[in-house]
Amino acid sequence: MALRIIAWGTGAVGREALAAILDSRAGLELVGVKVHSEDKDGVDAGTLLGRAPVGVLASVDSAAVLAVEADCVVYTPRLTSVDEVCAILASGKNVVTTAFLFHPNRIRLRDRDRVLAACLRGGTSVHGSGLNPGNLSGVLPLALSGMSRTVDEVKLQERADWSAYDSTAITFENMRFGRPVDEISPTASDFLAFNSSIFTEHVWLLADALHAGVDEVTATVDAVAAKRDHEIFDHVLRAGTTAGQRWNWVGRRGGRPLVEIETLWTVGNEYPGHWPKPQHGWTLTIEGDPSMRAHFLSLASFKRDASMVEHVNAANVATAMQVVNAIPAVCAAAPGFATGATLPLVRSLIGFGNA
């Protein structure tokens, strides 16, 4: 029988998840859609995607959506809520999310216990993943470590310019690009603290899975100012305001760095000379016996001509599909936390589509 799915959020990633559910030939059936703006309330799920109606109406009423019988909720809101996820899990619905809960054993003790209790009450599991944090900072390093005799250090670097990313609310409001550089820190705002926490979780995930025995995970950021003005969609990023953020989340044992995630983010593509210079995309380096390096790039296509909008959106597709493809495994998992380190290999449910 088909697994009944609710899409909870229809932003950039949520839309791709919604499309994947509607297009699925792998036994996923859309039964509900939770939206967060009044202009989407009552709109058919197909219409939200610019398609023909499919007979499932979106709703801003969380209680009404929660009352719908379903096997799993794909949870992708921009602003997360532990209370909301606990209610979903306790109602008997599994949760896959691209937003948080990547390694619930390393979140605040109070929240961890609440989420676990909700899982046990509902007989459900919760799984957080995506691209980065997600597959590239968890599944890929663990998979490559299968070729290692020993691992001395793991480092993932992400280099990206956000100038073509049209979700300017995230770029300028949440990530605070265009603000004074002294307003950028791991605790400068609720969102920056939250964003830092999910990368910290992933450092712990790798450290725990690979028995690193780290003592601490630290978060630091180097914010740099623009040398000139940049027009980014409907925003102007002024010279002298933040145009670059280099974040480092490092797990150490006895002061020695063992696991690190580094993000090198710019807006306006003014790349500071004192920063490292990996290729655009994601570079994973495992130092050990043997040492390995892999570079990952997500594009709309390597064969056909595609627009920059398509290329940028390819990362949203990858993020969404990592959790959509995990739905059957999460629904089959024992109640509790299902992470990238504990689930079986997540692969495409459709593949070439020949089945």
Side-chain angles (χ1 to χ4, degrees), residues 126-199:
V126 59
H127 172 63
S129 193
L131 190 56
N132 183 33
N135 184 304
L136 301 183
S137 52
V139 179
L140 182 60
L142 292 177
L144 292 185
S145 76
M147 296 184 287
S148 299
R149 190 196 319 265
T150 57
V151 175
D152 299 322
E153 184 179 350
V154 178
K155 183 171 184 176
L156 177 72
Q157 295 172 294
E158 175 182 323
R159 178 178 173 180
D161 185 79
W162 293 38
S163 300
Y165 184 53
D166 61 359
S167 293
T168 52
I170 294 176
T171 304
F172 290 92
E173 295 172 23
N174 295 125
M175 289 304 300
R176 299 168 79 86
F177 282 101
R179 301 286 188 93
V181 293
D182 59 3
E183 291 186 14
I184 311 299
S185 79
T187 58
S189 68
D190 288 344
F191 185 88
L192 288 183
F194 166 77
N195 194 62
S196 182
S197 75
I198 60 179
F199 282 96

Side-chain angles (χ1 to χ4, degrees), residues 75 80-82 85-86 89 95 97-104 107 111-112 115 126-129 194 198 201 337-339:
Y75 187 82
T80 64
S81 167
V82 172
V85 169
C86 285
L89 292 166
V95 172
T97 177
T98 60
F100 67 156
L101 298 175
F102 298 100
H103 189 24
I107 64 176
D111 290 339
R112 184 201 70 184
V115 174
V126 59
H127 172 63
S129 193
F194 166 77
I198 60 179
E201 273 185 63
F337 305 146
T339 73

Side-chain angles (χ1 to χ4, degrees), residues 47 90 170 184 247 266 288 294 314 323 330 344:
T47 304
I170 294 176
I184 311 299
W247 289 81
T266 56
V323 296
V330 174

Side-chain angles (χ1 to χ4, degrees), residues 237-270:
L237 191 150
R238 299 293 182 188
T241 66
T242 299
Q245 297 183 31
R246 175 189 178 187
W247 289 81
N248 293 84
W249 296 272
V250 185
R252 294 181 175 86
R253 183 180 67 211
R256 177 188 165 200
L258 299 182
V259 181
E260 180 176 0
I261 299 174
E262 178 176 57
T263 58
L264 304 152
W265 293 329
T266 56
V267 174
N269 207 23
E270 290 187 27

Side-chain angles (χ1 to χ4, degrees), residues 35-65:
V35 290
H36 298 85
S37 58
E38 294 295 335
D39 62 326
K40 295 181 180 179
D41 189 34
V43 178
D44 188 274
T47 304
L48 288 174
L49 297 177
R51 304 180 177 188
V54 296
V56 178
L57 302 183
S59 176
V60 295
D61 188 339
S62 297
V65 178

